[in-house]
Amino acid sequence: MIPFDYQRAEDTRSAVATVTARPGAAFLGAGTNLVDHLKLGVAAPDLLVDVSHLPFDMIEPLAGGGVRIGATVRNSDLAVDPVIRQRYPMVSAALLSGASGQLRNVATTAGNLMQRTRCPYFQDVTTPCNKRRPGSGCSALEGYHRDHAILGASRHCVAVHPSDLAVALTALGAVVQVEGVKGARSIPIIDLYRLPDDAPQHDTVLEHGELITAVDLPALPMATRSTYRKVRDRASYAFALVSVAAAVDVERGTVRDVRVALGGVAHKPWRARRAEEALRGAPATDDAFRAAAEAELAGARPLRDNAFKVPMARNTIVATLRELTRREEP
Amino acid sequence: MTGLIEPKSIGAPLERLEGHAKVTGTAPYAAEHLAADTAHLHPVQATVARGRITGMDTTAAEALDGVLAVLTPGNAPRLAPGDDPELAVLASDEVAYRGQIIAAAVAETTEIARQAADLVRVSYAELPHDVELRADSAGLYAPEVVNPTYPTDTTEGDPDGALAAAAVTVDRTYTTPMEHNNPMEPHATVALWARDTLTLYESTQWPHGVRDTIARLFGLATDQVRVIAPYVGGGFGSKTIHANTVLAAMGARAVPGRPVSFALTRQQMFSLVGYRTPTIQRIRLGAGADGRLTAIAHDVVEQTARLKEFAEQTAVATRSMYAAPNRRTTHRLAALDVPAPTWMRAPGECPGMFALECAMDEMAIACGLDPIEFRVRNEPEIDPETGLPFSSRNLIRCLREGADRFGWRRRDPTPGVRREDGWLLGTGVAASTFPVFRLPGSAATVRRLAGGRYRVQIDAVDIGTGAWTSLAQIAADALDVPPDAVDLRIGDSALPPGSVAGGSSGTTSWGSAIVDAARTFREKFPDPEEGDEAGGATPDNPDLERFAMHAYGAQFAAVRVHADTGEVRVPRMLGVFAAGRIINPRTARSQFIGGMTMGLSMALHEDSVMDVRFGQVANHDFAGYHIASNADVRSIDAIWIEEEDPHVNPMGSKGIGEIGIVGAAAAVANAAYHATGVRVRDLPLTPEKFLR
């Protein structure tokens, strides 16, 4: 652990300016991931700017029917918010499937999105890792990679993104509000995260010093019938082997619209666009669900020890859609 | 054995005497014995699996503000040569395994110590390493004995011939992975070197053993070392003595007069304090058409460290579990460039009975018999291994009692046919066993205090087992007073010696010494007065030569496996045990269900994955190394049957610390087969093994 300076942010503008001006600075939310990194030597910022108390702790309606979630809303508060539970149940379910009660009580919305992979090699500074030290190599590729990616990986990195919340937000098509020294910008969450390519050290497209201030959920009526299914080794307190966030709109046995995103399978929350396309207009049957899942997973490139994720993801997509459509048509 | 003491307090469900202090945070654990001037130690660990240190630059570490000392092989105190190479800390430049302690920083704060340790620059001449256990590992050898002193191999009759002639055979290989002891309280020491004496506040299962070892290594008289351990947050076999305690003492010697604290991080637990060896176990069973076993063969391949041998007695339980005229057991070791394996709750019985009890399930099915009936048919009348009668053996009563309570009789044996809400349901059973161990060397004193009270002293230690309470109950009955008239003192090497809290032997060994001291006291002082004192020791037990002594149990599990995802959950477990007289039903139940929970965790989760390239456990933290969470542990219950055994000790009790884990994983695996029709022989039972 290396000494660092600590500042409590006065306001957004100064926080952004301070971090932007100092290459070694980092924002600190609840610290549930970053503080571990400080201890392990994974991260060595010379300045932490604490933004956990900035006034972004509201959940508010947006004009047009959406909902804005402030960046510092705690995971526990977001999970039990009546509007979220009624209109976006997959968000609540995703949050409650993650971490532990103690962690959710402090973890923030933006911090959840910005958490880093739990790849054991990323977290162990005595082993090579391109994400932690670019160019040093990927230890997981030929090593312990049961939990790793089957979609969109590169030979430089096969890590997966650990967030459950981000998977639900990706299915919903949420938009992330960002403040930087050059002003504010809106980034669809699907564009926020990167695939590893040859620069896995970058998890997202954010510039150094840019700060997430809010996440906007679109008005998406079909999300009232949505869910999040997390497949994991333990009954709680484990990262996803595979997860599925889904919402579906079925009329007279036909899928009118559908949203599917996968977790635990890629460097980013994986929006299953191919599956969605295959399903629109298709009958709401197991066969159609299976065909859609297989279309999405046709591009899967599993590693030596994680090929099980392909049938696991397929089965979980089918089971989740089956559950949602049965619920819809009693 | 002389007569049993009359149970008055024994058998009563006393609350833990220290329970209130523990749950209110006022019971000090080792690392909480902090003073204002306590310094902190952080180790430097080898980053190669085998080789030699060619250079170590401590300049930057020593220059750091707040650093008090940097210990290296070049400046560390020379230790007396010993018989445990693991304890030869900083004694040479050789690296025998990755994660080995090669230096340490002592500083004003934990953060500075850690930063200083990170600043030590090390270069190595690396050598090729082998850290992978395979059934055909090069250089497999037969150790002289297996832990602690059992014969390595045994043969009776002609197992190969009997297998060839058997009407029904099972020939299967089962594997268990490397598993790491992770008590809730990681290992910790606060060491103070002052006025030629060394005081260690230590998280240990054996204060006297630590005292003697440290004294010898540092060239001190035993009365110059004091080890204090009033409260210990679990041990499971890992808290005898390891390099961390030696290093803490070295740190203290470097800053005389100041306490030095060394509390392991969770990550360090995966390389410094031992683990359970992975096992590869081939089991061959032969049976006649009547379902009676004719042959049992159990051949084990497992690992040890090149640095130090530890030979887990994996097949030993098989030697006396079931009757069969032709039997063989073998143990072969691969010596690897890894940390030394060690005790982990029920070493031997735990992995061995996983394999045997799964094979018994497979054989019952092959014979077309209910697994309980199959075990009943193969119940031995005398111990097949020694030919001695059992002092008591109530396995069949446990199986029958459990079957009644669990609802076993309604069970349809067909696998893979029960389904509920997308989950496949099944039930399974397995037997448990654990020997009655007694260790020599314990002594106790009894002293009359004012007001009719008695001080009872012995260097026993409560590692979460309930020893504080159960020993007070034993002392109370031995003195024929209520338990609140006993002022028990344990957990301090300044007290009369106590044997290790291991092998489920504590109550037998320490309790026998307390009873002996109390009997001596009462004979000597029929009309006692304040200040009267007498001592006693664990007496010899001639019945050990005349009887085979074991505890038994039957474990039942209900398992559900998700048909789509393969997720495995265990909604219900029941254990029925026969372990002599139960001293304290409250703490005993806690021991049994704790063992069963650890067995559930072994069945579903625990798996230290060796990265063969780096020579270390890849998943070396609690995010990667899964232990059952609260949500995984649903309904677990443990009961016991009344068992009178006058031969084991004056309390009539058998050890219960380990039997709960024995057989639990087999019951779960057998139930998972019943649920799905998929027989998984390799632990843990992770979802991918059931995915179709």
Side-chain angles (χ1 to χ4, degrees):
Chain A
M1 196 160 183
I2 293 171
F4 52 84
D5 296 329
Y6 171 90
Q7 283 180 19
R8 195 179 154 103
E10 298 289 322
D11 54 55
T12 309
R13 181 183 296 253
S14 66
V16 165
T18 303
V19 172
T20 304
R22 196 151 152 181
F27 294 116
L28 176 68
T32 62
N33 194 209
L34 181 55
V35 172
D36 285 348
H37 289 170
L38 299 178
K39 291 182 188 169
L40 294 168
V42 172
D46 58 18
L47 168 65
L48 292 182
V49 177
D50 185 345
V51 293
S52 61
H53 303 283
L54 290 180
F56 303 125
D57 58 349
M58 300 294 287
I59 302 167
E60 301 163 305
L62 285 171
V67 172
R68 171 161 292 179
I69 303 164
T72 62
V73 173
R74 308 285 158 168
N75 288 180
S76 291
D77 296 335
L78 182 58
V80 300
D81 182 82
V83 174
I84 298 296
R85 288 182 59 180
Q86 189 209 331
R87 290 183 54 196
Y88 309 97
M90 68 159 75
V91 171
S92 183
L95 285 163
L96 293 175
S97 76
S100 64
Q102 293 95 325
L103 285 166
R104 293 194 296 267
N105 285 344
V106 293
T108 63
T109 303
N112 186 310
L113 301 187
M114 294 302 289
Q115 65 180 310
R116 309 205 68 190
T117 185
R118 296 315 197 277
C119 175
Y121 303 103
F122 174 69
Q123 299 186 118
D124 181 348
V125 297
T126 70
T127 59
C129 168
N130 287 324
K131 186 181 278 297
R132 180 168 32 78
R133 192 186 303 161
S136 61
C138 173
S139 297
L141 199 55
E142 301 292 335
Y144 175 54
H145 54 226
R146 175 174 177 265
D147 299 333
H148 286 62
I150 56 170
L151 289 163
S154 74
R155 66 190 172 82
H156 302 285
C157 181
V158 293
V160 296
H161 197 268
S163 170
D164 295 296
L165 173 63
V167 180
L169 297 181
T170 296
L172 294 171
V175 174
V176 176
Q177 303 299 341
V178 174
E179 285 280 332
V181 282
K182 288 175 258 176
R185 61 172 174 148
S186 302
I187 309 172
I189 194 164
I190 197 159
D191 299 326
L192 175 72
Y193 294 108
R194 298 181 65 259
L195 288 176
D197 298 322
D198 60 356
Q201 66 271 30
H202 300 297
D203 293 349
T204 70
V205 300
L206 294 183
E207 304 283 341
H208 177 70
E210 283 192 306
L211 180 68
I212 295 174
T213 57
V215 177
D216 292 351
L217 303 182
L220 190 70
M222 74 172 174
T224 56
R225 295 234 167 80
S226 68
T227 192
Y228 185 77
R229 172 72 162 100
K230 181 173 180 177
V231 181
R232 49 183 160 176
D233 291 320
R234 279 195 292 212
S236 81
Y237 207 34
F239 292 97
L241 293 167
V242 159
S243 68
V244 175
V248 64
D249 178 8
V250 173
E251 191 173 81
R252 289 193 291 280
T254 298
V255 176
R256 287 195 347 168
D257 197 5
V258 63
R259 298 290 182 88
V260 180
L262 307 178
V265 296
H267 192 260
K268 59 188 283 186
W270 189 266
R271 179 76 176 263
R273 294 241 191 243
R274 286 185 198 176
E276 291 178 4
E277 280 163 31
L279 282 168
R280 281 192 195 93
T285 62
D286 272 19
D287 285 347
F289 298 154
R290 174 175 285 261
E294 284 174 349
E296 188 65 47
L297 295 163
R301 297 289 177 270
L303 303 161
R304 184 191 65 230
D305 293 330
N306 71 359
F308 70 91
K309 284 192 175 187
V310 178
M312 183 179 276
R314 178 197 66 207
N315 292 356
T316 309
I317 292 169
V318 173
T320 307
L321 292 172
R322 184 196 299 139
E323 184 199 327
L324 279 175
T325 51
R326 282 199 189 142
R327 224 194 282 172
E328 185 150 11
E329 296 188 283
Chain B
M1 198 77 229
T2 46
L4 296 180
I5 54 175
E6 188 186 342
K8 291 180 180 170
S9 179
I10 286 176
L14 254 64
E15 291 179 11
R16 284 174 195 260
L17 299 180
E18 80 290 11
H20 186 270
K22 279 183 172 172
V23 300
T24 53
T26 56
Y29 288 80
E32 295 174 317
H33 290 274
L34 296 179
D37 63 343
T38 300
H40 298 266
L41 183 148
H42 197 91
V44 180
Q45 297 178 266
T47 57
V48 301
R50 185 169 166 235
R52 193 169 53 78
I53 298 163
T54 54
M56 191 175 285
D57 181 358
T58 58
T59 317
E62 284 164 347
L64 201 62
D65 266 357
V67 171
L68 302 168
V70 179
L71 300 165
T72 70
N75 68 10
R78 292 298 104 190
L79 299 172
D83 53 4
D84 186 345
E86 189 187 334
L87 301 181
V89 178
L90 304 182
S92 83
D93 293 331
E94 303 297 317
V95 174
Y97 58 90
R98 189 171 176 129
Q100 184 179 333
I101 292 169
I102 54 170
V106 181
E108 297 287 351
T109 68
T110 53
E111 291 81 5
I112 296 169
R114 191 165 189 164
Q115 186 189 3
D118 288 345
L119 288 171
V120 175
R121 291 287 157 264
V122 186
S123 54
Y124 304 91
E126 207 173 339
L127 292 167
H129 65 261
D130 182 6
V131 298
E132 184 177 20
L133 177 68
R134 298 172 302 272
D136 62 349
S137 278
L140 286 178
Y141 74 97
E144 281 185 23
V145 293
V146 293
N147 177 58
T149 54
Y150 290 108
T152 300
D153 296 349
T154 57
T155 304
E156 185 163 326
D158 174 17
D160 291 327
L163 284 165
V168 189
T169 55
V170 162
D171 180 355
R172 295 294 188 186
T173 297
Y174 305 83
T175 67
T176 61
M178 190 191 314
E179 295 155 355
H180 275 81
N181 263 323
N182 268 291
M184 197 181 295
E185 179 203 21
H187 296 54
T189 308
V190 174
L192 173 63
W193 203 298
R195 294 181 300 278
D196 290 329
T197 65
L198 176 64
T199 305
L200 302 173
Y201 294 93
E202 174 79 352
S203 184
T204 182
Q205 296 176 229
W206 195 14
H208 248 74
V210 172
R211 181 197 71 168
D212 293 352
T213 302
I214 291 290
R216 187 178 49 70
L217 287 172
F218 285 86
L220 300 170
T222 51
D223 63 5
Q224 288 177 280
V225 180
R226 184 171 172 195
V227 178
I228 302 169
Y231 307 107
V232 176
F236 309 112
S238 69
K239 286 180 180 168
T240 49
I241 181 166
H242 295 282
N244 60 296
T245 304
V246 180
L247 185 65
M250 284 182 168
R253 179 161 236 178
V255 288
R258 288 190 69 170
V260 171
S261 171
F262 178 21
L264 265 61
T265 64
R266 192 56 76 179
Q267 288 88 349
Q268 289 163 353
M269 297 289 291
F270 288 84
S271 50
L272 290 179
V273 294
Y275 58 94
R276 194 196 301 285
T277 173
T279 68
I280 302 168
Q281 305 179 52
R282 184 177 179 191
I283 295 209
R284 279 168 283 185
L285 303 177
D290 58 354
R292 287 184 204 284
L293 289 167
T294 55
I296 302 173
H298 191 168
D299 299 299
V300 179
V301 175
E302 54 198 10
Q303 79 186 39
T304 183
R306 226 191 274 267
L307 180 69
K308 169 187 170 182
E309 183 181 279
F310 177 84
E312 179 131 351
Q313 71 275 34
T314 301
V316 164
T318 299
R319 294 173 184 170
S320 68
M321 199 61 204
Y322 298 109
N326 303 287
R327 302 192 323 279
R328 180 179 71 231
T329 60
T330 66
H331 297 85
R332 295 294 175 270
L333 299 184
L336 303 175
D337 302 306
V338 293
T342 189
W343 301 349
M344 180 166 171
R345 206 173 199 167
E349 287 79 13
C350 175
M353 286 289 280
F354 165 71
L356 179 64
E357 290 300 296
C358 288
M360 287 294 285
D361 198 63
E362 298 205 53
M363 188 50 137
I365 293 165
C367 291
L369 288 172
D370 176 81
I372 291 177
E373 174 56 26
F374 178 62
R375 286 175 174 83
V376 171
R377 279 190 200 188
N378 290 288
E379 174 75 358
E381 288 182 8
I382 55 168
D383 178 17
E385 172 69 4
T386 60
L388 297 174
F390 292 104
S391 64
S392 55
R393 173 167 167 138
N394 284 297
L395 172 59
I396 293 177
R397 279 179 65 199
C398 292
L399 286 163
R400 297 232 190 271
E401 176 78 18
D404 285 344
R405 289 178 181 252
F406 194 76
W408 186 263
R409 294 187 207 295
R410 298 184 300 276
R411 180 180 187 259
D412 171 4
T414 316
V417 294
R418 290 150 299 275
R419 200 172 167 127
E420 189 180 287
D421 293 338
W423 294 85
L424 299 164
L425 311 181
T427 50
V429 66
S432 308
T433 185
F434 199 83
V436 177
F437 286 123
R438 68 195 276 104
L439 296 171
S442 290
T445 57
V446 170
R447 182 186 179 87
R448 173 85 169 196
L449 305 177
R453 292 170 55 75
Y454 291 88
R455 175 162 300 155
V456 175
Q457 303 197 115
I458 181 169
D459 187 17
V461 63
D462 187 328
I463 60 171
T465 54
W468 270 113
T469 314
S470 56
L471 293 181
Q473 291 176 266
I474 290 167
D477 285 357
L479 292 163
D480 197 18
V481 297
D484 58 12
V486 174
D487 174 21
L488 181 70
R489 302 287 169 95
I490 62 173
D492 185 338
S493 69
L495 299 169
S499 53
V500 64
S504 299
S505 69
T507 302
T508 291
S509 309
W510 308 324
S512 299
I514 289 172
V515 171
D516 189 57
R519 281 177 172 161
T520 304
F521 183 95
R522 293 176 72 180
E523 279 166 23
K524 201 170 164 185
F525 306 109
D527 201 6
E529 293 176 11
E530 187 181 341
D532 289 346
E533 182 170 320
T538 311
D540 290 337
N541 180 1
D543 283 354
L544 285 171
E545 307 295 322
R546 300 171 46 221
F547 294 97
M549 299 180 183
H550 305 265
Y552 292 92
Q555 301 210 24
F556 296 78
V559 165
R560 54 197 178 101
V561 180
H562 199 280
D564 293 317
T565 66
E567 289 161 295
V568 186
R569 304 288 184 252
V570 179
R572 188 160 64 106
M573 289 180 83
L574 171 68
V576 184
F577 298 94
R581 199 185 262 169
I582 297 301
I583 307 292
N584 181 324
R586 186 189 300 264
T587 54
R589 181 174 182 279
S590 206
Q591 284 278 62
F592 287 132
I593 65 174
M596 293 168 69
T597 302
M598 204 161 162
L600 160 69
S601 187
M602 170 193 182
L604 301 191
H605 305 303
E606 297 192 35
D607 184 5
S608 301
V609 180
M610 176 57 76
D611 189 314
V612 298
R613 304 163 303 170
F614 302 123
Q616 70 176 359
V617 174
N619 53 332
H620 53 249
D621 63 25
F622 273 1
Y625 184 87
H626 285 173
I627 292 172
S629 68
N630 286 341
D632 292 293
V633 182
R634 311 302 290 208
S635 165
I636 294 191
D637 200 8
I639 58 168
W640 48 88
I641 61 174
E642 295 294 320
E643 185 177 80
E644 283 291 321
D645 190 329
H647 305 295
V648 284
N649 57 43
M651 294 76 67
S653 64
K654 298 175 177 177
I656 56 171
E658 290 162 277
I659 192 170
I661 197 175
V662 179
V668 172
N670 293 339
Y673 167 77
H674 184 235
T676 60
V678 178
R679 179 64 70 173
V680 176
R681 300 183 182 87
D682 306 296
L683 290 182
L685 306 177
T686 46
E688 62 265 39
K689 293 170 183 167
F690 296 94
L691 259 185
R692 287 295 179 268

